Amino acid sequence: MSVVARMDRVVNDFVARCRWFHEPMTKGRARMFALQHRLNTRQRNSVLKLKVATNCPDWDTRMRIIGACSEEVIADHAHGGGRPHWAILEDLGVRIGLKRADIRKAQPLASTELCWAAWEGLMANRHWLEGIVANTCAERINVPGYGRGEFKKRGWFGVERARWGRLFKLDDDELEFFELHSEADIEHSNMGWRAVEKFARELHMADAAVKACERNLHVLQHYLDGIAAAADGASRA
């Protein structure tokens, strides 16, 4: 079995077990996600993924990583009308009832900070190929084909787009964050998957790449579980 097929199986297992995808979306969870994911988008793309680019000796791959990070934190002209993804998520947060000032002063949850520390270890202090897996596997779940039903048909953010639309009665253009991210993440993750396929074979690192995928998706599960727990706890307080 190819390394890509093995990583696809790891992603599919993650989609099956992660409770965020299978439990009902609530307004509290959606708002907590907006607060935390705006921070996470900035941290992963201005710090963590750039560490991978620094370590990567292949110039073309390095430039593609930097270009993808630029779309997330500086300006996405291909999918976002020249705005960075974190700013588009901030606008979505306002549409679902958050105050912009509260979004901008939000602090990471302890679980989010723990995930950042784990990702730093998996992205900055590992072989650069394992770092590319870390860059890519979190975006891979936005690619259709994993899981079942609507998730398999639309990918994660395609499902979220529908759930948030129903929950907050938003029009399609008000949910642009999910659509542009689906498009951008398909492009970014396909790039990363192809790089892993190429270099894992050349470097004899197929097993290491699959293990990196497993570890990073466990971190992502902790990140989403932390958001759900914080939101549910706040609603009971």
Side-chain angles (χ1 to χ4, degrees), residues 170-190:
L170 296 176
D171 297 331
D172 286 348
D173 59 350
E174 295 177 301
L175 294 158
E176 61 177 330
F177 173 77
F178 295 120
E179 184 168 4
L180 77 90
H181 239 285
S182 295
E183 294 172 352
D185 283 351
I186 289 172
E187 180 181 326
H188 297 168
S189 68
N190 283 342

PDB file of all heavy atoms in Angstrom, residues 170-190:
ATOM      1  N   LEU A 170     -27.814  32.011   8.061  1.00  0.00           N
ATOM      2  CA  LEU A 170     -26.914  32.820   7.251  1.00  0.00           C
ATOM      3  C   LEU A 170     -27.024  32.426   5.785  1.00  0.00           C
ATOM      4  O   LEU A 170     -27.243  31.258   5.455  1.00  0.00           O
ATOM      5  CB  LEU A 170     -25.462  32.630   7.715  1.00  0.00           C
ATOM      6  CG  LEU A 170     -25.142  33.091   9.145  1.00  0.00           C
ATOM      7  CD1 LEU A 170     -23.706  32.740   9.496  1.00  0.00           C
ATOM      8  CD2 LEU A 170     -25.377  34.581   9.313  1.00  0.00           C
ATOM      9  N   ASP A 171     -26.863  33.405   4.913  1.00  0.00           N
ATOM     10  CA  ASP A 171     -26.844  33.154   3.476  1.00  0.00           C
ATOM     11  C   ASP A 171     -25.501  32.578   3.059  1.00  0.00           C
ATOM     12  O   ASP A 171     -24.511  32.664   3.794  1.00  0.00           O
ATOM     13  CB  ASP A 171     -27.099  34.451   2.703  1.00  0.00           C
ATOM     14  CG  ASP A 171     -28.471  35.032   2.980  1.00  0.00           C
ATOM     15  OD1 ASP A 171     -29.395  34.242   3.273  1.00  0.00           O
ATOM     16  OD2 ASP A 171     -28.616  36.264   2.921  1.00  0.00           O
ATOM     17  N   ASP A 172     -25.460  32.034   1.857  1.00  0.00           N
ATOM     18  CA  ASP A 172     -24.232  31.424   1.359  1.00  0.00           C
ATOM     19  C   ASP A 172     -23.060  32.399   1.369  1.00  0.00           C
ATOM     20  O   ASP A 172     -21.942  32.028   1.756  1.00  0.00           O
ATOM     21  CB  ASP A 172     -24.443  30.901  -0.065  1.00  0.00           C
ATOM     22  CG  ASP A 172     -25.275  29.624  -0.084  1.00  0.00           C
ATOM     23  OD1 ASP A 172     -25.488  29.025   0.986  1.00  0.00           O
ATOM     24  OD2 ASP A 172     -25.705  29.230  -1.178  1.00  0.00           O
ATOM     25  N   ASP A 173     -23.288  33.651   0.947  1.00  0.00           N
ATOM     26  CA  ASP A 173     -22.168  34.583   0.879  1.00  0.00           C
ATOM     27  C   ASP A 173     -21.684  35.006   2.252  1.00  0.00           C
ATOM     28  O   ASP A 173     -20.549  35.462   2.403  1.00  0.00           O
ATOM     29  CB  ASP A 173     -22.531  35.811   0.035  1.00  0.00           C
ATOM     30  CG  ASP A 173     -23.733  36.570   0.574  1.00  0.00           C
ATOM     31  OD1 ASP A 173     -24.418  36.055   1.483  1.00  0.00           O
ATOM     32  OD2 ASP A 173     -23.989  37.699   0.088  1.00  0.00           O
ATOM     33  N   GLU A 174     -22.517  34.828   3.273  1.00  0.00           N
ATOM     34  CA  GLU A 174     -22.097  35.136   4.640  1.00  0.00           C
ATOM     35  C   GLU A 174     -21.251  34.014   5.236  1.00  0.00           C
ATOM     36  O   GLU A 174     -20.633  34.195   6.291  1.00  0.00           O
ATOM     37  CB  GLU A 174     -23.324  35.384   5.520  1.00  0.00           C
ATOM     38  CG  GLU A 174     -24.122  36.615   5.134  1.00  0.00           C
ATOM     39  CD  GLU A 174     -25.360  36.789   5.970  1.00  0.00           C
ATOM     40  OE1 GLU A 174     -26.217  35.876   5.964  1.00  0.00           O
ATOM     41  OE2 GLU A 174     -25.483  37.836   6.645  1.00  0.00           O
ATOM     42  N   LEU A 175     -21.220  32.879   4.568  1.00  0.00           N
ATOM     43  CA  LEU A 175     -20.460  31.717   5.030  1.00  0.00           C
ATOM     44  C   LEU A 175     -19.222  31.486   4.177  1.00  0.00           C
ATOM     45  O   LEU A 175     -18.734  30.373   4.056  1.00  0.00           O
ATOM     46  CB  LEU A 175     -21.362  30.477   4.996  1.00  0.00           C
ATOM     47  CG  LEU A 175     -22.529  30.506   5.982  1.00  0.00           C
ATOM     48  CD1 LEU A 175     -23.630  29.559   5.535  1.00  0.00           C
ATOM     49  CD2 LEU A 175     -22.060  30.147   7.382  1.00  0.00           C
ATOM     50  N   GLU A 176     -18.698  32.556   3.604  1.00  0.00           N
ATOM     51  CA  GLU A 176     -17.586  32.446   2.661  1.00  0.00           C
ATOM     52  C   GLU A 176     -16.347  31.818   3.278  1.00  0.00           C
ATOM     53  O   GLU A 176     -15.547  31.206   2.567  1.00  0.00           O
ATOM     54  CB  GLU A 176     -17.234  33.822   2.095  1.00  0.00           C
ATOM     55  CG  GLU A 176     -16.796  34.821   3.161  1.00  0.00           C
ATOM     56  CD  GLU A 176     -16.386  36.157   2.575  1.00  0.00           C
ATOM     57  OE1 GLU A 176     -15.906  36.182   1.436  1.00  0.00           O
ATOM     58  OE2 GLU A 176     -16.532  37.170   3.278  1.00  0.00           O
ATOM     59  N   PHE A 177     -16.159  31.965   4.586  1.00  0.00           N
ATOM     60  CA  PHE A 177     -14.976  31.382   5.217  1.00  0.00           C
ATOM     61  C   PHE A 177     -14.873  29.900   4.926  1.00  0.00           C
ATOM     62  O   PHE A 177     -13.793  29.384   4.605  1.00  0.00           O
ATOM     63  CB  PHE A 177     -15.000  31.608   6.729  1.00  0.00           C
ATOM     64  CG  PHE A 177     -13.894  30.891   7.456  1.00  0.00           C
ATOM     65  CD1 PHE A 177     -12.598  31.374   7.440  1.00  0.00           C
ATOM     66  CD2 PHE A 177     -14.148  29.699   8.125  1.00  0.00           C
ATOM     67  CE1 PHE A 177     -11.566  30.685   8.087  1.00  0.00           C
ATOM     68  CE2 PHE A 177     -13.130  29.013   8.778  1.00  0.00           C
ATOM     69  CZ  PHE A 177     -11.843  29.509   8.761  1.00  0.00           C
ATOM     70  N   PHE A 178     -15.995  29.193   5.043  1.00  0.00           N
ATOM     71  CA  PHE A 178     -15.969  27.745   4.842  1.00  0.00           C
ATOM     72  C   PHE A 178     -15.772  27.387   3.380  1.00  0.00           C
ATOM     73  O   PHE A 178     -15.082  26.418   3.063  1.00  0.00           O
ATOM     74  CB  PHE A 178     -17.254  27.122   5.387  1.00  0.00           C
ATOM     75  CG  PHE A 178     -17.397  27.256   6.870  1.00  0.00           C
ATOM     76  CD1 PHE A 178     -18.474  27.932   7.423  1.00  0.00           C
ATOM     77  CD2 PHE A 178     -16.446  26.727   7.722  1.00  0.00           C
ATOM     78  CE1 PHE A 178     -18.605  28.059   8.793  1.00  0.00           C
ATOM     79  CE2 PHE A 178     -16.557  26.854   9.102  1.00  0.00           C
ATOM     80  CZ  PHE A 178     -17.649  27.528   9.641  1.00  0.00           C
ATOM     81  N   GLU A 179     -16.365  28.149   2.489  1.00  0.00           N
ATOM     82  CA  GLU A 179     -16.208  27.842   1.074  1.00  0.00           C
ATOM     83  C   GLU A 179     -14.794  28.107   0.590  1.00  0.00           C
ATOM     84  O   GLU A 179     -14.188  27.276  -0.081  1.00  0.00           O
ATOM     85  CB  GLU A 179     -17.201  28.644   0.233  1.00  0.00           C
ATOM     86  CG  GLU A 179     -17.142  28.283  -1.244  1.00  0.00           C
ATOM     87  CD  GLU A 179     -18.301  28.837  -2.045  1.00  0.00           C
ATOM     88  OE1 GLU A 179     -19.118  29.570  -1.473  1.00  0.00           O
ATOM     89  OE2 GLU A 179     -18.370  28.538  -3.247  1.00  0.00           O
ATOM     90  N   LEU A 180     -14.246  29.280   0.950  1.00  0.00           N
ATOM     91  CA  LEU A 180     -12.890  29.589   0.480  1.00  0.00           C
ATOM     92  C   LEU A 180     -11.887  28.640   1.111  1.00  0.00           C
ATOM     93  O   LEU A 180     -10.910  28.250   0.477  1.00  0.00           O
ATOM     94  CB  LEU A 180     -12.530  31.048   0.774  1.00  0.00           C
ATOM     95  CG  LEU A 180     -12.135  31.463   2.197  1.00  0.00           C
ATOM     96  CD1 LEU A 180     -10.632  31.344   2.424  1.00  0.00           C
ATOM     97  CD2 LEU A 180     -12.551  32.900   2.469  1.00  0.00           C
ATOM     98  N   HIS A 181     -12.133  28.249   2.367  1.00  0.00           N
ATOM     99  CA  HIS A 181     -11.199  27.342   3.014  1.00  0.00           C
ATOM    100  C   HIS A 181     -11.271  25.960   2.393  1.00  0.00           C
ATOM    101  O   HIS A 181     -10.254  25.267   2.285  1.00  0.00           O
ATOM    102  CB  HIS A 181     -11.454  27.280   4.521  1.00  0.00           C
ATOM    103  CG  HIS A 181     -10.273  27.689   5.324  1.00  0.00           C
ATOM    104  ND1 HIS A 181      -9.182  26.878   5.478  1.00  0.00           N
ATOM    105  CD2 HIS A 181      -9.982  28.821   5.989  1.00  0.00           C
ATOM    106  CE1 HIS A 181      -8.278  27.489   6.225  1.00  0.00           C
ATOM    107  NE2 HIS A 181      -8.735  28.672   6.533  1.00  0.00           N
ATOM    108  N   SER A 182     -12.454  25.537   2.002  1.00  0.00           N
ATOM    109  CA  SER A 182     -12.559  24.256   1.326  1.00  0.00           C
ATOM    110  C   SER A 182     -11.746  24.261   0.046  1.00  0.00           C
ATOM    111  O   SER A 182     -10.982  23.334  -0.247  1.00  0.00           O
ATOM    112  CB  SER A 182     -14.027  23.938   1.027  1.00  0.00           C
ATOM    113  OG  SER A 182     -14.761  23.767   2.221  1.00  0.00           O
ATOM    114  N   GLU A 183     -11.883  25.342  -0.749  1.00  0.00           N
ATOM    115  CA  GLU A 183     -11.144  25.445  -2.006  1.00  0.00           C
ATOM    116  C   GLU A 183      -9.644  25.524  -1.757  1.00  0.00           C
ATOM    117  O   GLU A 183      -8.845  24.822  -2.390  1.00  0.00           O
ATOM    118  CB  GLU A 183     -11.614  26.675  -2.776  1.00  0.00           C
ATOM    119  CG  GLU A 183     -13.061  26.591  -3.259  1.00  0.00           C
ATOM    120  CD  GLU A 183     -13.543  27.894  -3.856  1.00  0.00           C
ATOM    121  OE1 GLU A 183     -12.798  28.899  -3.756  1.00  0.00           O
ATOM    122  OE2 GLU A 183     -14.650  27.925  -4.403  1.00  0.00           O
ATOM    123  N   ALA A 184      -9.239  26.406  -0.829  1.00  0.00           N
ATOM    124  CA  ALA A 184      -7.814  26.589  -0.557  1.00  0.00           C
ATOM    125  C   ALA A 184      -7.194  25.338   0.052  1.00  0.00           C
ATOM    126  O   ALA A 184      -6.069  24.955  -0.289  1.00  0.00           O
ATOM    127  CB  ALA A 184      -7.607  27.788   0.368  1.00  0.00           C
ATOM    128  N   ASP A 185      -7.928  24.685   0.961  1.00  0.00           N
ATOM    129  CA  ASP A 185      -7.365  23.519   1.632  1.00  0.00           C
ATOM    130  C   ASP A 185      -7.241  22.326   0.700  1.00  0.00           C
ATOM    131  O   ASP A 185      -6.334  21.499   0.859  1.00  0.00           O
ATOM    132  CB  ASP A 185      -8.206  23.153   2.858  1.00  0.00           C
ATOM    133  CG  ASP A 185      -7.937  24.070   4.034  1.00  0.00           C
ATOM    134  OD1 ASP A 185      -6.990  24.866   3.936  1.00  0.00           O
ATOM    135  OD2 ASP A 185      -8.656  23.984   5.036  1.00  0.00           O
ATOM    136  N   ILE A 186      -8.140  22.195  -0.260  1.00  0.00           N
ATOM    137  CA  ILE A 186      -7.967  21.140  -1.260  1.00  0.00           C
ATOM    138  C   ILE A 186      -6.662  21.372  -2.018  1.00  0.00           C
ATOM    139  O   ILE A 186      -5.858  20.449  -2.217  1.00  0.00           O
ATOM    140  CB  ILE A 186      -9.176  21.104  -2.218  1.00  0.00           C
ATOM    141  CG1 ILE A 186     -10.408  20.562  -1.494  1.00  0.00           C
ATOM    142  CG2 ILE A 186      -8.855  20.243  -3.444  1.00  0.00           C
ATOM    143  CD1 ILE A 186     -11.690  20.657  -2.298  1.00  0.00           C
ATOM    144  N   GLU A 187      -6.432  22.616  -2.406  1.00  0.00           N
ATOM    145  CA  GLU A 187      -5.194  22.949  -3.127  1.00  0.00           C
ATOM    146  C   GLU A 187      -3.980  22.723  -2.262  1.00  0.00           C
ATOM    147  O   GLU A 187      -2.999  22.087  -2.679  1.00  0.00           O
ATOM    148  CB  GLU A 187      -5.267  24.401  -3.583  1.00  0.00           C
ATOM    149  CG  GLU A 187      -4.050  24.889  -4.345  1.00  0.00           C
ATOM    150  CD  GLU A 187      -4.176  26.343  -4.740  1.00  0.00           C
ATOM    151  OE1 GLU A 187      -5.292  26.799  -5.037  1.00  0.00           O
ATOM    152  OE2 GLU A 187      -3.124  27.038  -4.754  1.00  0.00           O
ATOM    153  N   HIS A 188      -4.007  23.235  -1.018  1.00  0.00           N
ATOM    154  CA  HIS A 188      -2.852  23.115  -0.122  1.00  0.00           C
ATOM    155  C   HIS A 188      -2.577  21.660   0.244  1.00  0.00           C
ATOM    156  O   HIS A 188      -1.419  21.215   0.248  1.00  0.00           O
ATOM    157  CB  HIS A 188      -3.088  23.920   1.154  1.00  0.00           C
ATOM    158  CG  HIS A 188      -3.229  25.396   0.935  1.00  0.00           C
ATOM    159  ND1 HIS A 188      -3.676  26.256   1.922  1.00  0.00           N
ATOM    160  CD2 HIS A 188      -2.986  26.164  -0.158  1.00  0.00           C
ATOM    161  CE1 HIS A 188      -3.712  27.483   1.432  1.00  0.00           C
ATOM    162  NE2 HIS A 188      -3.294  27.454   0.185  1.00  0.00           N
ATOM    163  N   SER A 189      -3.638  20.928   0.567  1.00  0.00           N
ATOM    164  CA  SER A 189      -3.416  19.557   1.025  1.00  0.00           C
ATOM    165  C   SER A 189      -2.991  18.652  -0.122  1.00  0.00           C
ATOM    166  O   SER A 189      -2.171  17.744   0.082  1.00  0.00           O
ATOM    167  CB  SER A 189      -4.671  19.007   1.707  1.00  0.00           C
ATOM    168  OG  SER A 189      -5.725  18.835   0.792  1.00  0.00           O
ATOM    169  N   ASN A 190      -3.525  18.865  -1.310  1.00  0.00           N
ATOM    170  CA  ASN A 190      -3.063  18.077  -2.451  1.00  0.00           C
ATOM    171  C   ASN A 190      -1.578  18.304  -2.708  1.00  0.00           C
ATOM    172  O   ASN A 190      -0.836  17.369  -3.017  1.00  0.00           O
ATOM    173  CB  ASN A 190      -3.874  18.423  -3.701  1.00  0.00           C
ATOM    174  CG  ASN A 190      -5.252  17.784  -3.695  1.00  0.00           C
ATOM    175  OD1 ASN A 190      -5.500  16.834  -2.952  1.00  0.00           O
ATOM    176  ND2 ASN A 190      -6.153  18.298  -4.515  1.00  0.00           N
TER     177      ASN A 190
END
